[in-house]
Amino acid sequence: MASKLVFSKPFTVAYEDLPIGEPAAGQMVARTVLSAISHGTELASYRGATPFMTRTMNEHRMFIDKGPDAPPFYPFRYAGYDNIGVVEKVGPGTEGVRVGDRVWSVAQHQTHALLTMGYEMAVLPESVPNESGVMVSLTGVAMVAVNDADIHLGDVAVVFGGGVVGQMAAQLCALRGARRVFMVDPIAERRKIAADTVGAIGVDPLADLPGLTIRRLNDGRPPDVIIECSGTTRALAQAVQATAVGGTVIAAGMYPDVHAHINLSEEFLHNRVTLKASMGVWGCPLRPDFWDRPRVIREVVNLIAAGKLNFRHFTSTTVPFTQAQRAYEMIDKDPQKYLKAMLSYE
């Protein structure tokens, strides 16, 4: 029997018992040692700020109002999707995984998980510490966004938002051959992290219009690539404003703002800007199509194992699983303080 974290109502963490059966062929049972809290989609569900509170996605993938007979949003049982566990049991005929292996998976915040081979999971090499392995999902978000941006050798790239996804996007832009990377974030420490890891040029969006600052620091020219990772419509509007005429902005965040801060009749229309949503899950096709979800996960793990991604400068906090309420309150009240909050199970 596992213990599973749920949101019983907005801003409230609770726990439920979760039966864990014996693994069948191709399955395993893993004991969780560390899981990471998502500061975007997960925190939106914790706060009751997700569109799924009152809307649902129909069979045509259109969001529509929930009907009177629709089940309530709470209790919400899907919090978490970066889980590190140690395999305790394997099913008959299961190949490639042994008892004692460490595995990353999209299992939620729970003490044990029943996992299926090949489905949103990966065995972690010894060279990948738990604290880095727990970044796989969000690094995958950044990888999809950078692939969507189609960066070329020598491009100038701008990343809006210096959270985990933004920091990883900046590092991946550099790996893809960007000559110059800008990090736009109001927090000096986050700009410094990007500067220390990839030499990014920091831009404070509160000091001046980011688009003007970027042009001034880029020899008067607009950037080639803009990736928006903050998940706020205010930053998305600034990203659209900063791009070139006919340019493209990659939107890689969730935008739960009740009041949108973007006016589509301004730069978006008059500068013929392309706004491209970057979503690598929920059954969405990837660009290019031979980069499927398993490959994204595999390549992220390979990059971490090879030491090509740097998490050392990240400011993180770890809270016991049994005290998760405290962790959510910390990042809800001061979301800018920590890049990553994690739950420990040992």
Side-chain angles (χ1 to χ4, degrees), residues 162 169 189 340:
E189 178 62 27
K340 178 53 59 180

Side-chain angles (χ1 to χ4, degrees), residues 27 48 57 59 66-67 104 116 197 215 223 235 262 285 288 297 308 321:
Q27 292 185 322
M57 197 162 66
E59 68 274 19
K66 287 184 176 180
W104 165 88
T116 300
T197 53
R215 280 170 167 76
I262 185 168
I297 297 305
K308 293 184 179 296
F321 171 70

Side-chain angles (χ1 to χ4, degrees), residues 142-173:
M143 178 174 281
V144 171
V146 171
N147 284 348
D148 283 343
D150 191 24
I151 296 174
H152 299 92
L153 192 66
D155 275 350
V156 174
V158 177
V159 176
F160 278 75
V164 170
V165 175
Q167 296 292 341
M168 298 289 62
Q171 293 188 35
L172 291 169
C173 284

Side-chain angles (χ1 to χ4, degrees), residues 4-5 7 32 34-46 50 52 76-85 103-110 113 115 119-122 124 130 132-142 163-166 229-231 252-255 278-282 293 296-297 300-301 321 328 331 339-343 345:
K4 183 181 179 71
L5 182 151
F7 301 148
T32 305
L34 192 69
S35 63
I37 296 174
S38 159
H39 293 203
T41 54
E42 186 177 337
L43 200 61
S45 297
Y46 169 78
T50 172
F52 291 98
F76 181 74
R77 296 184 171 91
Y78 307 101
Y81 46 76
D82 260 316
N83 182 304
I84 305 297
V103 292
W104 165 88
S105 74
V106 293
Q108 282 86 51
H109 303 303
Q110 56 194 65
L115 307 175
Y119 180 77
E120 298 282 25
M121 64 148 292
L124 294 179
N130 292 340
S132 298
V134 84
M135 304 288 186
V136 167
S137 275
L138 293 184
T139 304
V141 173
V164 170
V165 175
C229 300
S230 75
M254 184 181 183
Y255 301 92
S278 181
M279 170 63 76
V281 293
W282 282 78
R293 174 68 172 169
V296 169
I297 297 305
V300 166
V301 172
F321 171 70
Y328 285 96
I331 60 177
L339 275 180
K340 178 53 59 180
M342 298 170 285
L343 302 176
Y345 296 73

Side-chain angles (χ1 to χ4, degrees), residues 172-322:
L172 291 169
C173 284
L175 286 175
R176 283 286 297 263
R179 175 175 60 84
R180 181 178 289 166
V181 178
F182 288 88
M183 171 59 71
V184 182
D185 196 286
I187 300 175
E189 178 62 27
R190 293 189 174 186
R191 300 195 299 270
K192 184 177 185 302
I193 290 172
D196 290 343
T197 53
V198 297
I201 302 170
V203 174
D204 182 357
L206 302 181
D208 199 355
L209 293 178
L212 293 179
T213 302
I214 292 164
R215 280 170 167 76
R216 185 173 67 250
L217 298 174
N218 192 43
D219 307 317
R221 295 191 296 270
D224 301 292
V225 171
I226 295 184
I227 304 175
E228 204 301 298
C229 300
S230 75
T232 68
T233 57
R234 187 181 299 279
L236 184 63
Q238 292 175 334
V240 169
Q241 186 180 61
T243 195
V245 175
T248 298
V249 173
I250 306 299
M254 184 181 183
Y255 301 92
D257 306 35
V258 176
H259 302 291
H261 295 279
I262 185 168
N263 185 336
L264 298 181
S265 70
E266 297 179 344
E267 290 89 0
F268 172 75
L269 176 65
H270 287 80
N271 293 338
R272 203 173 189 270
V273 174
T274 296
L275 187 58
K276 185 185 293 185
S278 181
M279 170 63 76
V281 293
W282 282 78
C284 292
L286 300 187
R287 311 179 183 99
D289 57 8
F290 51 80
W291 273 82
D292 58 10
R293 174 68 172 169
R295 182 177 180 184
V296 169
I297 297 305
R298 184 170 65 249
E299 297 302 336
V300 166
V301 172
N302 288 339
L303 285 172
I304 296 174
K308 293 184 179 296
L309 298 177
N310 187 344
F311 302 100
R312 291 191 300 273
H313 297 282
F314 283 20
T315 305
S316 302
T317 185
T318 303
V319 174
F321 171 70
T322 54

Side-chain angles (χ1 to χ4, degrees), residues 47-79:
R47 292 168 169 164
T50 172
F52 291 98
M53 287 285 294
T54 58
R55 308 266 282 175
T56 188
M57 197 162 66
N58 67 12
E59 68 274 19
H60 304 295
R61 300 182 65 91
M62 300 175 182
F63 276 83
I64 60 173
D65 290 340
K66 287 184 176 180
D69 298 327
F73 182 78
Y74 294 104
F76 181 74
R77 296 184 171 91
Y78 307 101

